[in-house]
């Protein structure tokens, strides 16, 4: 397990606890009481640290190298029922955007999401989770297939942004994202959107229009990353913590501003600390959310979705 800078007090206590247990196993000394004291202190320290996280610390947690990615969720939730579908039928298959059909219980869903890599090789293969226009066009193709067969759509957001390269712009990055936003507002099947990691800018919004938008507790969703915001406003990355604070990008802020509908609680310490529990919570949340949407007619679905997005940013003085 890797530890972030603010988690180092936890690492020290966990190391102490491990040493204490090893001494107990290798010698005749009874260390039960000492271990219990360390465990108690560890629980206290964890609660204090994770209860008072700053927005920047939540950003760090959302990028934790051990944090589960989109495919981890899909594989855990759907098991061997997941069938990945490839290509945009126009240019090529974008490896940063994945999608396909999968089942939770007896209910089929079309899963779509950005996928990051685990090491240098897979990060390059997945283009660091930054989709090209063909990725958004693939996503739209899959959504349209889901609509045709009456299958609900689940999108999982985890991207530092759409790929900003010259070739992406040449192939119509802006148009592809705008087209997706337009088409998703009028898609005639339920759309459930979950931010599972980073939700940055148009890259996330390109698959982020939903009837219900949910965020995991230690994720962020914003028009720009704290580092980029800092470099624009202060000409330096040094002020990323102030930028994170000012952007109001945490799940709590987003819920307060009525930009997301629900926060999904994570295990103490983040999703990576207890993956199975996280997968189980996300799975049951998807089913519960679908239950609230499945009886709506296509006309009501689209109408409510439009109203929801038209209300965003409305300010009554």
């Amino acid at each position: 397990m890797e530890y972030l800078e603010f988690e180092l007090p936890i690492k020290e206590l966990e190391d102490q606890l491990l040493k204490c247990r090893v001494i107990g196993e290798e010698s005749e000394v009874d260390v039960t009481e000492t271990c219990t004291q360390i465990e108690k202190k560890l629980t206290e320290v964890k609660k204090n640290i994770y209860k008072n996280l700053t927005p920047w610390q939540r950003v760090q947690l959302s990028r934790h190298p051990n944090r589960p990615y989109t495919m981890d969720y899909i594989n855990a939730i759907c098991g061997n029922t997941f069938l990945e579908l490839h290509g945009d039928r126009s240019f090529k298959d974008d490896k940063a955007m994945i999608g396909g059909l999968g089942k939770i219980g007896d209910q089929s869903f079309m899963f779509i999401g950005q996928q990051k890599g685990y090491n240098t090789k897979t990060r390059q293969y997945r283009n660091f989770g930054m989709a090209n226009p063909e990725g958004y066009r693939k996503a739209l193709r899959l959504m349209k297939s889901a609509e045709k067969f009456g299958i609900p759509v689940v999108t999982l957001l985890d991207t530092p942004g759409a790929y900003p390269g010259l070739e992406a712009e040449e192939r119509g990055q802006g148009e592809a994202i705008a087209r997706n936003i337009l088409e998703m507002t009028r898609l005639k099947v339920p759309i459930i959107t979950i931010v599972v990691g980073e939700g940055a800018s148009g890259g996330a919004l390109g698959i982020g229009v939903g009837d219900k938008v949910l965020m995991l507790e230690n994720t962020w969703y914003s028009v720009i990353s704290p580092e980029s915001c800092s470099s624009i406003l202060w000409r330096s990355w040094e002020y990323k913590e102030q930028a994170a604070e000012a952007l109001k990008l945490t799940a709590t802020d987003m819920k307060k501003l009525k930009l997301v509908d629900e926060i999904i609680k994570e295990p103490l310490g983040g999703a990576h600390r207890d993956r199975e529990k996280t997968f189980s919570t996300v799975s049951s949340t998807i089913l519960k959310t679908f239950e609230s949407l499945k009886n709506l007619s296509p006309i009501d679905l689209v109408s409510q979705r439009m109203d929801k997005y038209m209300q965003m940013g409305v300010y009554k003085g």
Side-chain angles (χ1 to χ4, degrees):
M1 179 67 70
E2 291 189 42
Y3 293 84
L4 299 167
E5 197 177 328
F6 65 87
E7 295 178 309
L8 291 179
I10 296 169
K11 183 182 187 304
E12 282 174 27
L13 284 168
E14 284 183 347
D15 288 346
Q16 281 177 27
L17 185 59
L18 187 65
K19 279 177 193 166
C20 187
R21 283 176 180 158
V22 169
I23 291 166
E25 284 166 17
E26 291 179 353
S27 67
E28 302 287 310
V29 185
D30 182 13
V31 291
T32 317
E33 198 180 325
T34 313
C35 286
T36 309
Q37 284 176 338
I38 297 171
E39 279 171 359
K40 197 176 168 189
K41 182 86 167 71
L42 183 60
T43 309
E44 275 175 38
V45 169
K46 275 185 180 177
K47 279 181 181 168
N48 284 335
I49 286 176
Y50 296 119
K51 192 172 67 181
N52 303 305
L53 289 175
T54 65
W56 172 244
Q57 286 169 340
R58 290 205 190 275
V59 170
Q60 287 178 294
L61 268 182
S62 77
R63 298 169 174 167
H64 198 287
N66 300 123
R67 194 176 174 86
Y69 294 141
T70 297
M71 279 305 288
D72 297 319
Y73 285 98
I74 291 173
N75 289 332
I77 291 167
C78 304
N80 57 6
T81 66
F82 181 66
L83 172 69
E84 189 175 350
L85 301 167
H86 299 272
D88 69 337
R89 301 276 168 86
S90 177
F91 184 69
K92 70 171 187 180
D93 183 41
D94 190 337
K95 301 293 187 283
M97 185 77 75
I98 55 116
L101 291 161
K103 280 187 171 185
I104 305 178
D106 293 329
Q107 177 60 50
S108 294
F109 291 93
M110 179 66 82
F111 288 91
I112 297 164
Q114 291 104 351
Q115 174 66 22
K116 292 176 176 175
Y118 301 93
N119 52 36
T120 308
K121 194 175 178 180
T122 55
R123 282 179 194 131
Q124 286 177 321
Y125 179 73
R126 297 287 181 187
N127 200 32
F128 298 87
M130 297 188 291
N132 277 282
E134 51 274 17
Y136 293 100
R137 291 180 182 128
K138 168 163 80 168
L140 181 57
R141 178 175 81 80
L142 299 186
M143 286 182 228
K144 285 293 187 184
S145 296
E147 182 182 52
K148 184 178 177 180
F149 297 106
I151 296 167
V153 174
V154 175
T155 64
L156 303 171
L157 276 51
D158 187 11
T159 179
Y163 184 59
L166 177 65
E167 60 273 33
E169 299 298 340
E170 285 173 346
R171 292 198 297 277
Q173 185 74 287
E175 188 277 338
I177 291 171
R179 169 75 52 193
N180 276 24
I181 294 170
L182 169 67
E183 295 292 349
M184 286 182 88
T185 56
R186 58 192 189 191
L187 206 70
K188 295 182 177 67
V189 289
I191 308 171
I192 300 163
T193 295
I194 305 174
V195 184
V196 295
E198 301 184 88
S201 193
L205 204 56
I207 57 165
V209 178
D211 299 294
K212 294 286 180 190
V213 181
L214 319 169
M215 283 178 80
L216 280 161
E217 198 178 355
N218 296 309
T219 61
W220 63 276
Y221 199 12
S222 175
V223 69
I224 194 169
S225 72
E227 293 94 332
S228 301
C229 176
S230 171
S231 64
I232 290 169
L233 294 182
W234 289 281
R235 307 268 182 230
S236 158
W237 277 28
E238 293 295 308
Y239 301 92
K240 52 188 181 287
E241 292 177 41
Q242 286 101 304
E245 187 79 45
L247 284 166
K248 302 283 181 236
L249 43 63
T250 66
T252 316
D253 290 323
M254 296 296 283
K255 177 87 163 58
K256 207 179 286 178
L257 294 166
K258 295 189 172 65
L259 297 172
V260 301
D261 302 290
E262 196 182 316
I263 299 169
I264 303 171
K265 275 200 78 65
E266 290 184 25
L268 189 65
H272 56 286
R273 285 277 172 178
D274 189 345
R275 285 175 163 234
E276 297 314 312
K277 190 178 176 187
T278 307
F279 297 146
S280 165
T281 309
V282 169
S283 178
S284 57
T285 305
I286 291 171
L287 287 176
K288 186 182 78 181
T289 309
F290 176 61
E291 280 298 313
S292 68
L293 298 168
K294 70 175 185 183
N295 294 323
L296 293 171
S297 69
I299 291 168
D300 289 341
L301 260 180
V302 174
S303 165
Q304 284 184 24
R305 197 183 301 144
M306 289 281 200
D307 289 346
K308 171 188 162 77
Y309 279 87
M310 291 295 280
Q311 288 304 311
M312 287 182 183
V314 172
Y315 176 73
K316 294 185 177 72

